[in-house]
């Protein structure tokens, strides 16, 4: 009786494992055909080769809505040259003596990551800047930390690190040369330059 029960359990285990293998293969085939359809849609010829294209994205909610609006603005009939000007003219800003990214900076970097994903022939140079307060050495180090904060965030969004270089100008290149809080707030920034 013990041998029959063991044989029955082995047979049952074989049937169950066969069933699992067959159902998992069916799921993989279904996923493969969905992936093939998605790839076919993504590789369809574009209407205008100069336009920036984006992968299909779910409807925007919350803080993503402004990023989505900016991305759509880039896509709407703008030439690649216009998209590049928009990319490079949009800086991100930091609080005094800080290198942490603010929510607005993260939203801006998501737009830049969308552009870089769609235009893989471009690399980006992140330029860190500071206001005039502090020593030159301190501000060069702070500018470098700011640039690397942006780089790490772009890498987390899937942009290869070897497409992103960083440099710090410290306080050497102010956006606003005045000596007040408004000017200093404009000078605490990262700027972005595309390199082909």
């Amino acid at each position: 009786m013990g041998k029959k029960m063991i044989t029955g359990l082995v047979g049952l285990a074989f049937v169950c494992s066969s069933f699992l293998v067959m159902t998992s293969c069916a799921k993989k085939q279904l996923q493969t055909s969905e992936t093939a359809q998605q790839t076919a849609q993504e590789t369809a010829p574009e209407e205008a080769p100069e336009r920036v294209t984006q992968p299909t994205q779910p409807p925007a909610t919350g803080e993503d809505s402004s990023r989505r609006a900016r991305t759509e603005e880039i896509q709407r009939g703008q030439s690649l040259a216009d998209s590049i000007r928009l990319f490079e003219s949009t800086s991100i800003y930091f609080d005094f003596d800080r290198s942490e990214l603010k929510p607005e900076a993260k939203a801006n970097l998501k737009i830049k990551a969308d552009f870089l994903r769609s235009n893989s022939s471009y690399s980006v140079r992140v330029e860190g800047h500071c206001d005039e307060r502090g020593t030159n050495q301190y501000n060069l180090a702070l500018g470098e930390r700011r640039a690397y904060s942006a780089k790490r965030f772009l890498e987390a969004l899937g942009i290869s690190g070897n497409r992103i270089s960083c440099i710090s100008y410290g306080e050497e290149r102010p956006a606003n040369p005045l000596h007040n809080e408004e000017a200093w707030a404009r000078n605490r920034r990262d700027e972005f330059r595309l390199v082909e």
Side-chain angles (χ1 to χ4, degrees):
M1 179 101 109
K3 280 188 170 183
K4 288 183 180 179
M5 184 164 246
I6 291 175
T7 303
L9 288 174
V10 169
L12 182 61
F14 177 75
V15 170
C16 289
S17 64
S18 297
F19 178 73
L20 287 173
V21 169
M22 290 186 336
T23 58
S24 66
C25 289
K27 286 181 183 176
K28 286 183 182 178
Q29 290 172 351
L30 177 63
Q31 289 173 348
T32 303
S33 68
E34 288 175 358
T35 305
Q37 288 175 346
Q38 183 179 3
T39 303
Q41 290 172 351
E42 290 174 357
T43 57
E46 300 175 11
E47 292 177 14
E50 285 190 337
R51 291 188 180 165
V52 178
T53 59
Q54 303 292 336
T56 305
Q57 299 173 359
T61 58
E63 71 180 45
D64 286 341
S65 62
S66 63
R67 177 176 76 90
R68 197 72 26 85
R70 297 272 313 273
T71 301
E72 289 170 5
E73 179 183 325
I74 290 172
Q75 289 178 322
R76 258 193 316 266
Q78 287 188 351
S79 69
L80 181 58
D82 290 338
S83 297
I84 290 170
R85 273 191 292 279
L86 181 61
F87 183 99
E88 291 185 332
S89 67
T90 310
S91 300
I92 62 173
Y93 298 92
F94 296 87
D95 289 330
F96 174 69
D97 200 28
R98 308 299 292 180
S99 60
E100 294 82 19
L101 297 172
K102 298 195 270 188
E104 307 86 49
K106 290 178 180 180
N108 189 312
L109 289 170
K110 288 176 184 177
I111 294 168
K112 293 182 186 307
D114 290 342
F115 175 89
L116 291 168
R117 273 193 290 276
S118 298
N119 297 279
S120 59
S121 63
Y122 287 94
S123 295
V124 64
R125 184 178 68 228
V126 184
E127 301 174 347
H129 298 270
C130 301
D131 63 37
E132 64 189 14
R133 296 172 290 178
T135 66
N136 286 340
Q137 288 178 327
Y138 182 82
N139 285 336
L140 283 171
L142 179 58
E144 184 176 24
R145 288 194 305 273
R146 289 175 174 168
Y148 276 95
S149 288
K151 178 180 181 176
R152 283 189 299 275
F153 193 80
L154 288 170
E155 287 174 328
L157 294 173
I159 307 303
S160 173
N162 57 3
R163 291 179 63 198
I164 308 165
S165 62
C166 295
I167 188 168
S168 173
Y169 290 110
E171 63 189 70
E172 297 171 9
R173 296 183 177 186
N176 187 331
L178 298 179
H179 309 285
N180 58 41
E181 187 54 48
E182 184 180 329
W184 295 330
R186 299 286 300 157
N187 293 336
R188 297 188 300 260
R189 70 197 188 282
D190 277 348
E191 292 184 347
F192 301 86
R193 300 287 172 250
L194 289 169
V195 181
E196 194 166 17

